[in-house]
Amino acid sequence: MIQPGSWLGILGGGQLGRMFTQAAQSMGYRVAVLDPDPSSPGGRISDKHLVTEYDNLRGLKELARVSSAVTTEFENVPADSLRTLSDLLPVSPQADAVEVAQDRIREKTFLSKNGFRVAPYAVFNDLNDVANLSKSLVFPGLLKVSRFGYDGKGQLLIKDLTELISGFKNLGRVPCVFEEFLSLTAEVSVIVARDERGDTAVFPVSENRHRNGILDITIAPARIPLSILSEAKQEALALGDALRYKGILCVEFFVLDGGALVINEIAPRPHNSGHYTIDACSVSQFEQQVRVTSGLPLINPRQHSSAVMVNLLGDSWDNGEPDWNSILKDDRIRLHLYGKDEARPGRKMGHLTIVDPDLDQALNLSRQIKTLLGKQ
Ligand code: AMP
């Protein structure tokens, strides 16, 4: 076990790295962040910020020298960097699991092989594949780049073969998956913490609503039947076992008409849909990440209040700062800003969590807040 007071390292200093750093520091750890951006949200508040690329050997060695264990906040960190680090100190999650999560083709192959349901899909590596598979495709569908897509980026809605061919070209002819467009009743996610011993702790299932491909609000607990909630939790835990996972794992599900669950994607890290845990649960997803990283015991999260998390996008800064005075009058609202200098459209600047014992009241307030936030 790595005692509080020791140093923990993290690859990535975005908002997830920042909230990990805050959780670790409040437990007495010191945190080294490796992120190439000198003003990264996590780097700014860290005890040591290593400003290097993620594959810079000197930077990685320095991170290993100062830290007692290392984790990551994003899936696009080069798996080889995690491998290099794991020769030197404990690393979670492990490179093999991150490699699966960072590539949609690998991810879907792994999930299908291990008996998890995914949306029907086809893999395209080049235009020949598109031509060869065209007869078996069902339209409409979504064409998604296999790597480096996020928040709906690198993704196109396709209604026929002509659009598929032009879409594949527009996405740069990179490896893609083409997924059947499913009719969804809800989107939910489950966050699991799993440690080296295989001990697990699972957070309440949350319900996620997206706008323009970006998470807009999270409602917790999810308003879906109990049987589906428990099936989602069981699947997420089974997936953690299948990956022999160590760390925080988020599993995003589609709930289809009729109640069947399909895994959309997985994230090998804390997730935007788990931010509500900071204010509404006995332990947050970030504290749980600190616990896995340092070998402390996991605790079973208990949700002490219903919650709605509202993402704050840069669009709300179009006419200057949002009206915090009006928004923060209500004592059910907790504000989290990530310390980003520049507000750009679609950029995640922070989030608000509304906590209320009555979920409907929290939802009502979230609607009022969204009006105050203006277009976003
Ligand atoms: P993703 O980046 O894959 O999580 O996709 C972003 C959002 O697009 C999802 O949260 C869904 O709202 C929607 N979406 C993605 N794939 C599908 C699909 N196969 N069928 C219906 N909606 C989808």
Side-chain angles (χ1 to χ4, degrees):
M1 190 211 122
I2 296 160
Q3 299 284 351
S6 314
W7 283 75
L8 302 177
I10 182 162
L11 291 165
Q15 60 265 24
L16 302 176
R18 179 182 174 97
M19 288 182 272
F20 168 84
T21 301
Q22 288 166 333
Q25 288 173 337
S26 81
M27 294 170 81
Y29 289 97
R30 283 184 275 177
V31 179
V33 169
L34 187 149
D35 189 305
D37 175 1
S39 57
S40 71
R44 294 185 153 190
I45 63 159
S46 65
D47 297 278
K48 187 177 182 69
H49 184 184
L50 299 163
V51 185
T52 71
E53 293 300 329
Y54 295 112
D55 56 359
N56 180 300
L57 198 56
R58 266 223 301 222
L60 293 170
K61 282 192 171 157
E62 179 61 6
L63 184 68
R65 192 187 65 77
V66 297
S67 313
S68 299
V70 168
T71 185
T72 178
E73 63 131 26
F74 82 133
E75 57 268 40
N76 289 326
V77 60
D80 281 345
S81 297
L82 294 173
R83 287 201 181 93
T84 302
L85 286 168
S86 65
D87 289 340
L88 305 168
L89 78 173
V91 173
S92 58
Q94 60 277 52
D96 291 356
V98 173
E99 231 165 21
V100 169
Q102 66 189 191
D103 183 318
R104 287 187 196 273
I105 297 174
R106 276 192 195 218
E107 183 177 274
K108 288 193 189 294
T109 310
F110 180 89
L111 292 171
S112 320
K113 243 199 209 153
N114 286 277
F116 297 95
R117 266 187 79 182
V118 296
Y121 72 98
V123 171
F124 299 143
N125 284 304
D126 54 44
L127 274 176
N128 286 336
D129 291 340
V130 181
N132 294 339
L133 290 168
S134 62
K135 287 207 176 64
S136 58
L137 301 176
V138 177
F139 294 99
L142 280 163
L143 185 64
K144 304 179 178 180
V145 291
S146 190
R147 299 203 58 177
F148 304 118
Y150 68 99
D151 286 346
K153 292 192 176 66
Q155 217 170 99
L156 297 169
L157 181 62
I158 303 285
K159 66 172 186 309
D160 56 31
L161 189 59
T162 318
E163 277 192 11
L164 181 59
I165 292 167
S166 62
F168 187 71
K169 288 179 183 162
N170 288 340
L171 290 176
R173 298 174 189 241
V174 292
C176 284
V177 294
F178 180 71
E179 263 177 51
E180 192 176 321
F181 192 84
L182 302 172
S183 169
L184 317 179
T185 49
E187 293 184 54
V188 299
S189 54
V190 182
I191 293 167
V192 172
R194 192 174 186 280
D195 68 15
E196 200 150 45
R197 295 172 288 269
D199 288 343
T200 54
V202 54
F203 284 93
V205 182
S206 66
E207 179 183 337
N208 305 315
R209 300 235 194 105
H210 296 80
R211 258 188 98 194
N212 305 323
I214 306 176
L215 183 65
D216 184 27
I217 64 169
T218 292
I219 302 163
R223 298 160 306 164
I224 57 169
L226 272 177
S227 58
I228 303 178
L229 291 180
S230 85
E231 191 188 330
K233 283 187 174 181
Q234 289 315 318
E235 280 221 18
L237 288 166
L239 180 50
D241 288 344
L243 286 165
R244 289 197 198 85
Y245 194 78
K246 182 185 168 197
I248 305 297
L249 178 70
C250 176
V251 185
E252 293 184 65
F253 294 92
F254 293 147
V255 186
L256 306 186
D257 297 343
L261 286 172
V262 158
I263 296 183
N264 171 28
E265 58 183 4
I266 61 177
R269 51 168 172 79
H271 192 258
N272 197 168
S273 64
H275 291 356
Y276 81 91
T277 60
I278 299 174
D279 298 304
C281 291
S282 52
V283 60
S284 75
Q285 59 172 348
F286 300 103
E287 179 177 333
Q288 210 77 303
Q289 186 180 19
V290 173
R291 286 169 176 266
V292 179
T293 309
S294 60
L296 284 171
L298 300 179
I299 47 177
N300 258 321
R302 191 174 41 77
Q303 188 169 357
H304 49 69
S305 181
S306 299
V308 176
M309 189 281 313
V310 177
N311 261 341
L312 299 169
L313 301 185
D315 312 60
S316 291
W317 273 253
D318 268 3
N319 302 313
E321 280 292 306
D323 182 3
W324 299 129
N325 208 33
S326 304
I327 293 170
L328 295 175
K329 267 191 197 129
D330 198 306
D331 65 0
R332 295 170 293 171
I333 295 176
R334 310 254 55 86
L335 172 65
H336 301 262
L337 287 179
Y338 307 145
K340 296 184 181 178
D341 292 327
E342 200 194 333
R344 291 191 295 269
R347 189 174 198 205
K348 290 175 181 168
M349 302 297 291
H351 70 270
L352 293 167
T353 309
I354 301 165
V355 283
D356 192 303
D358 181 341
L359 185 56
D360 287 332
Q361 294 295 330
L363 273 164
N364 280 342
L365 183 55
S366 73
R367 284 181 208 111
Q368 292 164 30
I369 294 302
K370 289 200 115 301
T371 314
L372 283 173
L373 287 169
K375 115 172 180 255
Q376 69 152 20

